[in-house]
Amino acid sequence: MIIRKAVVTDIENLVSFQLAMASETENLALDAVILRNGILNLINSDSKGEYLVAETEGSIIGCCMLTYEWSDWRSATFIWLQSVYVLPQFRRQGVFSEFYKFVKSMVNNSDSYAGIRLYVDKQNSTAAHVYQQLGMMEEHYVMYGWVKK
């Protein structure tokens, strides 16, 4: 398995993965046109973030999105792991662990990065257990938000 930065030719996989993830995790049917545009905007803008893909035997089996949060306290950037999706037949085979190792290496090899963050649904104890097994700790923050409708 290799982990690499996604490119425009990966768009169909990324769209299908994100449509599936939204359906599986939140029972949402995303608008594929808006989603495709959002993914393309990210791929074409280094400042917004990037997608990583996991590839094995020439097939993309998973993806994750990286976005950035500037920390004035640390004068460095936190990388947020988001939109993680792995094809069902490849789950529990270490794909997320490979994404995490890849990103952790990015952080460890650059003074520009402060660390890694992610959020998890309170009900997703399986994912929380995986994150803890990888050495991540629950932070003391509670997340709030507002979304324009």
Side-chain angles (χ1 to χ4, degrees):
M1 176 186 334
I2 63 163
I3 305 297
R4 64 171 174 80
K5 185 175 179 175
V7 294
V8 173
T9 56
D10 298 322
I11 188 73
E12 296 309 319
N13 288 98
L14 296 171
V15 170
S16 69
F17 290 171
Q18 295 310 304
L19 289 170
M21 183 183 61
S23 177
E24 287 177 28
T25 61
E26 298 184 32
N27 201 28
L28 287 174
L30 298 178
D31 181 311
V33 173
I34 292 172
L35 175 62
R36 180 182 316 284
N37 188 46
I39 292 170
L40 282 172
N41 273 308
L42 189 83
I43 287 174
N44 291 325
S45 171
D46 289 336
S47 66
K48 286 184 175 74
E50 63 187 283
Y51 269 96
L52 299 177
V53 294
E55 190 174 338
T56 185
E57 297 179 10
S59 295
I60 296 174
I61 61 169
C63 69
C64 73
M65 182 175 71
L66 309 181
T67 58
Y68 311 118
E69 173 194 1
W70 177 252
S71 173
D72 56 347
W73 290 9
R74 293 174 177 85
S75 189
T77 300
F78 277 96
I79 297 176
W80 279 82
L81 282 169
Q82 301 181 126
S83 299
V84 177
Y85 185 81
V86 177
L87 289 171
Q89 64 269 32
F90 292 96
R91 293 178 186 165
R92 297 188 179 262
Q93 295 181 31
V95 178
F96 178 79
S97 295
E98 291 301 314
F99 281 132
Y100 182 71
K101 283 192 266 184
F102 186 92
V103 175
K104 193 171 181 184
S105 177
M106 289 172 59
V107 172
N108 283 331
N109 291 316
S110 174
D111 291 336
S112 298
Y113 298 121
I116 301 169
R117 288 187 169 150
L118 56 77
Y119 53 85
V120 61
D121 187 290
K122 293 176 184 177
Q123 306 301 316
N124 195 343
S125 59
T126 301
H129 180 73
V130 168
Y131 305 149
Q132 290 166 0
Q133 292 292 83
L134 289 171
M136 298 184 86
M137 297 168 285
E138 185 174 337
E139 293 196 9
H140 59 274
Y141 301 102
V142 175
M143 186 175 211
Y144 287 85
W146 175 84
V147 178
K148 180 175 86 170
K149 294 187 184 212

